[in-house]
Amino acid sequence: MVQTVDFFTPIVDDPYIYGQIAATNSLSDIYAMGGRPVTAMNVVGMPEDVIGLDVIHEILRGGADKVLEAECALAGGHSIKNPEPIYGLSVTGLVDPSRMITNAGAKPGDVLILTKPLGTGIITTGVKRGITSGEIVMRAIDIMSRLNTPGKKIAERGLVKCATDVTGFGLLGHLISLCKSSKTRAILHTANIPVIDPEVTRLIEEEDCVPGGSHENFKTADKNVGWAEIIPQSMKYILSDAQTSGGLLLCVPEENVSEVMAILDDDASLTRAMIGRILTADEVGPLITVV
């Protein structure tokens, strides 16, 4: 049995979409462990004097629809009064102990595969500032609402032993934690790293649109990273960007890459980008090399 809980404040104006994104984000932790979600419970905090029951209903409907899509049972939940809205799920899942995925099992030679493009933190910050186009917002919403269901299929076939989902600490933060837990290093190839839209780079370079959490992520990660001179500051922020409902970062043994890519191909909603590789630990060099 694997369990997780996650919730956050609204990042979009539409209550139904907010519910969908929050539920997708909560379910992702189970998929990142290779689990199959079985039951979910709502975690709700709302300022009832500000938000009406119709809006709360739409948030819960969005979450319920994602739970249904995940073939999971919604088993009630708990609500409280709160000064600002929060919503998420507590999720219970099942996984074969011999097939469980952790963030501590990476091996030198493993190929790093990312299942969603980066940039949601920067885009949602642009939404709050009113400087983001509607098209890119809809693209980000679509990505944040995609379930990471291939994690379950990949684990059930025993193809991967190590993975993490990419959320609040950004790609670099989660990869650093994975490498420390696995006693390995990694190299990332920025040319292969998917970004939601070129506008993400423009928002950083022209609008200084970088959320506070992503700034902190970069400062924390920087001391563990060796940057090639050609890497612009905008890409450093993208790699550190705090993601909402991000993708899975899979450490795939070379012999299993083709099968894992085929599983990701079957789910056309997800990306399948080979972005780097796990390396042997080196006490002298940086934990992560970015080229």
Side-chain angles (χ1 to χ4, degrees), residues 13-265:
D13 292 332
D14 187 298
Y16 177 79
I17 293 174
Y18 165 46
Q20 286 202 312
I21 294 171
T24 302
N25 182 69
S26 299
L27 290 159
S28 183
D29 284 337
I30 299 296
Y31 293 129
M33 293 183 276
R36 172 173 58 89
V38 176
T39 61
M41 300 184 72
N42 288 317
V43 179
V44 184
M46 294 288 157
E48 293 180 352
D49 55 333
V50 177
I51 294 181
L53 289 177
D54 56 335
V55 174
I56 297 172
H57 175 266
E58 283 299 291
I59 294 170
L60 296 178
R61 188 171 71 88
D65 283 352
K66 275 297 166 183
V67 171
L68 181 64
E69 183 182 335
E71 300 179 343
C72 179
L74 187 60
H78 187 67
S79 62
I80 62 169
K81 292 182 179 180
N82 202 59
E84 59 181 336
I86 59 168
Y87 173 67
L89 299 173
S90 171
V91 188
T92 300
L94 296 175
V95 61
D96 182 338
S98 67
R99 300 283 175 94
M100 187 171 179
I101 297 174
T102 74
N103 72 341
K107 302 295 183 184
D110 285 354
V111 177
L112 291 169
I113 297 178
L114 183 65
T115 67
K116 287 187 183 183
L118 303 178
T120 59
I122 291 157
I123 291 170
T124 54
T125 298
V127 171
K128 294 173 184 176
R129 297 182 187 178
I131 57 174
T132 307
S133 69
E135 182 181 349
I136 192 175
V137 172
M138 293 308 298
R139 192 171 302 148
I141 287 171
D142 176 59
I143 288 165
M144 290 187 287
S145 302
R146 297 176 186 175
L147 293 170
N148 282 316
T149 48
K152 173 187 65 174
K153 301 174 186 176
I154 289 166
E156 288 173 348
R157 298 187 191 180
L159 300 173
V160 168
K161 290 294 185 182
C162 182
T164 183
D165 57 342
V166 179
T167 53
F169 294 113
L171 175 63
L172 283 179
H174 288 284
L175 180 56
I176 287 168
S177 178
L178 185 152
C179 286
K180 286 182 176 179
S181 297
S182 303
K183 297 180 172 55
T184 57
R185 294 186 301 131
I187 184 168
L188 293 176
H189 299 279
T190 55
N192 298 338
I193 293 175
V195 181
I196 292 173
D197 190 273
E199 188 174 341
V200 172
T201 300
R202 186 195 67 78
L203 286 170
I204 298 170
E205 294 178 347
E206 298 180 15
E207 305 285 354
D208 192 26
C209 183
V210 181
S214 300
H215 271 292
E216 290 302 315
N217 286 345
F218 170 69
K219 288 195 291 186
T220 301
D222 190 39
K223 57 180 175 284
N224 290 296
V225 179
W227 303 97
E229 291 184 5
I230 61 169
I231 306 299
Q233 185 62 45
S234 57
M235 177 54 73
K236 295 178 182 180
Y237 281 138
I238 289 170
L239 296 179
S240 307
D241 189 35
Q243 301 298 283
T244 297
S245 190
L248 299 179
L249 180 63
L250 305 166
C251 299
V252 186
E254 186 79 53
E255 63 272 19
N256 296 338
V257 168
S258 295
E259 194 170 350
V260 168
M261 295 293 268
I263 291 172
L264 294 174
D265 268 343

Side-chain angles (χ1 to χ4, degrees), residues 262-289:
I263 291 172
L264 294 174
D265 268 343
D266 288 341
D267 190 331
S269 68
L270 293 177
T271 301
R272 55 183 197 95
M274 292 188 285
I275 64 169
R277 192 176 289 269
I278 296 294
L279 306 174
T280 304
D282 185 343
E283 295 182 3
V284 178
L287 198 65
I288 310 293
T289 300

